[in-house]
Amino acid sequence: MASGQRVALAPRKTKVDLVVVAARYREEGAERKLDFAQAYERHGVVWSDIKLYDRAKLMAAFEGGKRVHAGRPGELSTDFILLHALKLEGEGAQARIVSDTEGQAAGDDLGVPLV
């Protein structure tokens, strides 16, 4: 290979629009609700700086068809180590944001470090 030639990065096997890296919760009665989450959002081929998502904004991302995963930043700014997919379980005010690997959660549980 000639010097200075670029090599295309392998495409991701898992399509991801949003990577949640940390969360903060609040107690509402017997349930735990997401207060806010820190996440990176994909814009085409680039990722945003870290953003804060409150519960309503994160739920809107799910309802808008975004593919949301829990993860952590990799060594490069464009790399993430994906832990598991997140999903919206239930409807309306009773909906919960949970990881696809967890059983029945008593509220929101993203499976990421707390902030």
Side-chain angles (χ1 to χ4, degrees):
M1 182 182 291
S3 177
Q5 209 171 18
R6 297 192 76 164
V7 178
L9 296 174
R12 292 185 188 270
K13 291 182 180 178
T14 305
K15 301 288 185 190
V16 178
D17 297 310
L18 199 65
V19 178
V20 177
V21 295
R24 176 170 290 181
Y25 301 95
R26 67 181 181 279
E27 298 296 325
E28 284 188 6
E31 286 194 356
R32 166 167 108 154
K33 296 282 186 182
L34 178 71
D35 196 12
F36 67 85
Q38 294 177 339
Y40 294 89
E41 185 176 4
R42 185 175 58 85
H43 297 283
V45 296
V46 298
W47 289 88
S48 70
D49 288 336
I50 198 161
K51 293 182 174 185
L52 286 179
Y53 284 79
D54 62 10
R55 187 171 195 277
K57 189 174 177 182
L58 190 57
M59 287 180 70
F62 282 108
E63 292 164 355
K66 299 244 185 218
R67 295 161 291 203
V68 183
H69 277 70
R72 62 176 194 240
E75 290 182 25
L76 300 174
S77 62
T78 59
D79 288 344
F80 293 93
I81 299 159
L82 299 179
L83 303 174
H84 48 266
L86 298 175
K87 64 182 180 178
L88 194 57
E89 196 173 80
E91 294 182 20
Q94 302 303 325
R96 297 185 310 266
I97 303 169
V98 295
S99 69
D100 66 354
T101 59
E102 296 295 319
Q104 269 306 33
D108 297 332
D109 185 8
L110 280 61
V112 294
L114 301 175
V115 288

